[in-house]
Amino acid sequence: MFELLITMLERLGIIVAIAFILTRLKFFRGMIYQDELNRRQKLVAIVFFGFFGIIGTYTGLSLNTESLQFNRWASDLTSDEALANSRVIGVVLAGLLGGYKVGLGAGLIAGIHRFTLGGFTAFSCGFASIIAGYISGYFYKKNKHIKLSTAFIIAATAEALQMLVILLFSQPFEKAWALVEIIGIPMIVANGLGCTLFLMIIKSVINEGERVGAVQAQKTLRIADKTLAYLRHGLNQETAHEVCHIIQDEIKATAVAMTNTTKILAHVGQGHDHHRTQMPIQTQITLNVINKGEIVIANKKMIQCRSEDCPLGAAVIAPLKRRDETIGTLKFYFRYEKEITPVVTELISGLSALLSNQLEIAEADKAFQLAKEAEIKVLQAQINPHFLFNTLNTILSLVRSDPTKARKLLVSLSHFLRQNMSVTTQNIITLEHELRHVKAYLEIEETRFVDKLKVFYQIDEGTLHQRIPPLTLQPIVENAIKHGIKERNGNSQVIISIQKGNNHVHVSIEDNGIGMSEERAKEICVTPIKSSNGNGVALYNVNRRLMMLFGEKSGLNIKSEINKGTEIAFTIPLSEVV
């Protein structure tokens, strides 16, 4: 009995080989991960595991119940012979991994085959194979993910049931009993261990593949996180150098390089003494990648390095694209071609796609910034013609009646225009600069509306170094002037307040003009409004630029009541503008 157990355990090496092969088959991976197999997958599984059971039969040992001698390989059996085999492993696995239909189908194939071999246990063993497939399929329903201990118990139980069927149906009973005494325990133990070993190998190989994938994903995410800050500035020599350093630290390649379409932007690692930055692209294989936009694996001959002592013996060259147009390459160098495994190639392909996406994001970001600058230009164009028209009319009316006042107004206008030109060439300015611009504007308006307008300033001097987009206060103040004076004969006032809070600066412009409805106040910030006095577009643009720079919490807050006045306020965070 012990010798039989050892012999059967030795032959489990065949099970190990089959398990390893299975991990490479697509349909088998589908059985592992899918909750339900389709009809074609079930048919393939039935045939495969059925033949797996047949292999288990042929690798068994035939036992002559008269002489009690074993034949080490199974063949056609006489009426005195029976088999000690591992057929039940294939059948049980079919049921555990594919369900009762797959288990039953595999059991029929393996059982019918066993019946054709003959022997006095032919019917019993064939029938027991079918039962084993059905029973194991029942456990598939209960447990989607089979534990190793469960697999051992099910396989051992199926083999024990086979021993029981042999005792019930095989004749004469004395032969059946003698057979079960000899092969019962070895087959129960060996087949239980064989089923467990099979699943253990499957899980180990698949888990290892998942672990490698997880490591790749972690590397890719780290590289994405570290390189994003640099590639936001586009593809140039400085950003390429930093990105190559980051990638080389993570991937551990012999060298990493980046090029644009004409020259080397960066080369980090071995070979940097002759693969220098700013040199024209030296190899035809790199130019081919740029032209075709496809990843290429190059050996030493294809690299065509001009230095005979170059340590770089192989490379993977991947395209960097922007809107499907190749704008450069990402190159990974290795000492030997055999270092370039499929895993490495897949990782490099993923990295090139990731960096390409980051470059596209950088371009979109740049377009976004240009759009913000364009909004400032639109805002200025909206302000200048209207303001100049009113101011020049006032100057013309004063030239004869009050030349001194006309000259003073002209000086103020000149000062305002200089301020206006300077702010439109910048993306962000200090509150102090913006306030000077507003004061220049108000000097003109106070001259135009003498004795009608009073302006009050409530300024915290500690806030003036904070930064805001240019042309933020002036449109709001202009809006207040129009509403504060247009419908009033006098006693018009505007209050400009800039105060420091705990973690923000609060800015408000308040007037005592005609006011507006609550619906109108909400509408101004949501969409540009066509208006006879032009305030809708200006305030909408100011609101958008504040939110784009500081977030939604910094948008304009408008409070207004009809015939009582309007207050327009916003806050800017201290931490983001210092």
Side-chain angles (χ1 to χ4, degrees), residues 160-202:
L161 285 174
Q162 181 171 245
M163 297 299 111
L164 180 60
V165 171
I166 289 173
L167 291 175
L168 291 175
F169 294 101
S170 298
Q171 298 296 329
F173 179 77
E174 292 76 12
K175 280 187 179 182
W177 180 258
L179 176 67
V180 170
E181 278 190 315
I182 296 172
I183 69 171
I185 293 178
M187 286 185 64
I188 291 171
V189 174
N191 286 324
L193 289 175
C195 194
T196 304
L197 181 62
F198 185 97
L199 282 180
M200 185 172 67
I201 292 170
I202 295 297

Side-chain angles (χ1 to χ4, degrees), residues 394-438:
T394 301
I395 293 172
L396 287 173
S397 66
L398 292 172
V399 166
R400 292 184 178 179
S401 62
D402 194 343
T404 302
K405 187 177 288 188
R407 185 167 55 253
K408 182 180 178 181
L409 189 58
L410 193 60
V411 171
S412 297
L413 176 62
S414 174
H415 180 69
F416 172 79
L417 290 177
R418 281 198 301 271
Q419 291 286 106
N420 206 42
M421 290 299 294
S422 67
V423 297
T424 56
T425 61
Q426 304 172 59
N427 292 325
I428 195 164
I429 61 174
T430 63
L431 267 172
E432 183 179 13
H433 195 167
E434 180 75 356
L435 192 59
R436 283 203 303 267
H437 188 208
V438 169

Side-chain angles (χ1 to χ4, degrees), residues 5 8-9 12 15 85-90 92-93 96 146-160 183-200:
L5 177 61
M8 292 191 70
L9 291 176
L12 290 181
I15 304 298
N85 59 77
S86 56
R87 177 178 58 257
V88 76
I89 294 177
V92 168
L93 287 171
L96 291 178
I146 305 300
K147 296 180 180 179
L148 297 180
S149 58
T150 303
F152 177 86
I153 293 172
I154 294 172
T157 301
E159 193 59 59
I183 69 171
I185 293 178
M187 286 185 64
I188 291 171
V189 174
N191 286 324
L193 289 175
C195 194
T196 304
L197 181 62
F198 185 97
L199 282 180
M200 185 172 67

Side-chain angles (χ1 to χ4, degrees), residues 311-383:
L312 307 177
V316 179
I317 307 172
L320 294 174
K321 297 183 177 182
R322 189 171 59 206
R323 296 195 305 275
D324 296 326
E325 178 186 355
T326 303
I327 60 170
T329 64
L330 176 65
K331 306 170 76 172
F332 292 78
Y333 289 99
F334 301 87
R335 293 184 65 86
Y336 307 104
E337 191 174 357
K338 64 182 180 182
E339 295 180 70
I340 305 174
T341 64
V343 173
V344 169
T345 304
E346 184 179 351
L347 176 60
I348 294 170
S349 177
L351 280 176
S352 69
L354 183 147
L355 297 183
S356 296
N357 288 336
Q358 289 187 344
L359 289 170
E360 286 198 15
I361 291 172
E363 185 181 44
D365 208 22
K366 184 178 180 181
F368 177 73
Q369 295 298 329
L370 290 174
K372 288 201 297 182
E373 293 176 14
E375 283 190 350
I376 296 176
K377 308 304 181 188
V378 170
L379 184 61
Q380 185 204 14
Q382 186 265 340
I383 292 171

